[in-house]
Amino acid sequence: MLDACAELVDEVGYEGLTTTLLAERAEVAIGSVYQFFPDKRAIVQALALRNMEAYLERLSARFAAGNLAQWWDGVDAAIDEFIGMHRTVAGFRTLHFGDVVDVHLLDEERDNNVVIANRIAEVLHEQFAVADTPKLRFALEIAVTTADSLIKLAFRRDPDGDTQIIQESKTLIRDYLQSHVGV
């Protein structure tokens, strides 16, 4: 059902998504949809959580490959994986991590970008021994929010992502983190 939801969100958007359309696309009875999800928001929330887990798995695989020498390589990898999902994962370009539905879709108490920033802080700490401090987490929240906006702009300008905007995003984020966190 989540795969069908991802396809439909790309085709009709969140507003056009209905449980009836989902049941038809997934080739299941409408009762089966409601057996697992009380409404379309819950379905999209499950898809956003799946997207976040896929993103973190992709990022972990990049880090595990051992090709990243410095923390900024990890930041570039985080941006690259986000862009890769924009290009290849059904529903991701529309939903990202659920921000189009609700900025608290991943966590009732924290903004979606804060959830992502905190996970990136954990990964940078584990992989590069970057001190996991409130200052780092705040700077990453700013960086994630900025990168998210710039990447959306890149994909509005070019369906494959405007490479100049993407490169400038990486430079801006790296320079910002270097000057504000000194990692």
Side-chain angles (χ1 to χ4, degrees), residues 71-72 173-183:
W71 67 267
W72 57 81
I173 299 304
R174 186 182 315 117
D175 290 350
Y176 170 78
L177 289 173
Q178 181 65 43
S179 68
H180 283 77
V181 183
V183 292

Side-chain angles (χ1 to χ4, degrees), residues 104-139:
H104 293 118
L105 192 64
L106 297 175
D107 183 309
E108 290 182 12
E109 297 179 14
R110 299 180 299 165
D111 181 285
N112 297 338
N113 283 341
V114 173
V115 173
I116 300 301
N118 287 343
R119 295 297 299 266
I120 292 172
E122 293 167 6
V123 171
L124 289 174
H125 176 71
E126 292 167 8
Q127 295 292 321
F128 301 105
V130 173
D132 188 356
T133 64
K135 184 177 180 180
L136 173 67
R137 287 179 181 242
F138 178 76

Side-chain angles (χ1 to χ4, degrees), residues 49-170:
L49 289 169
R50 183 175 84 168
N51 285 344
M52 185 179 77
E53 289 304 316
Y55 173 75
L56 293 171
E57 286 174 18
R58 290 170 71 139
L59 193 55
S60 293
R62 287 278 297 269
F63 279 43
N67 300 331
L68 310 174
Q70 302 291 330
W71 67 267
W72 57 81
D73 296 326
V75 171
D76 281 352
I79 293 169
D80 288 342
E81 290 305 326
F82 188 77
I83 291 165
M85 288 183 71
H86 254 270
R87 291 178 176 147
T88 63
V89 176
F92 189 79
R93 185 180 295 202
T94 304
L95 289 179
H96 304 102
F97 298 116
D99 54 325
V100 280
V101 177
D102 181 351
V103 295
H104 293 118
L105 192 64
L106 297 175
D107 183 309
E108 290 182 12
E109 297 179 14
R110 299 180 299 165
D111 181 285
N112 297 338
N113 283 341
V114 173
V115 173
I116 300 301
N118 287 343
R119 295 297 299 266
I120 292 172
E122 293 167 6
V123 171
L124 289 174
H125 176 71
E126 292 167 8
Q127 295 292 321
F128 301 105
V130 173
D132 188 356
T133 64
K135 184 177 180 180
L136 173 67
R137 287 179 181 242
F138 178 76
L140 284 170
E141 180 182 345
I142 298 298
V144 166
T145 301
T146 302
D148 183 42
S149 293
L150 290 171
I151 291 166
K152 286 176 184 172
L153 173 63
F155 280 90
R156 280 195 309 271
R157 289 214 176 150
D158 180 336
D160 292 323
D162 183 299
T163 55
Q164 186 177 11
I165 293 174
I166 290 169
Q167 189 54 47
E168 287 297 314
S169 300
K170 289 180 178 182

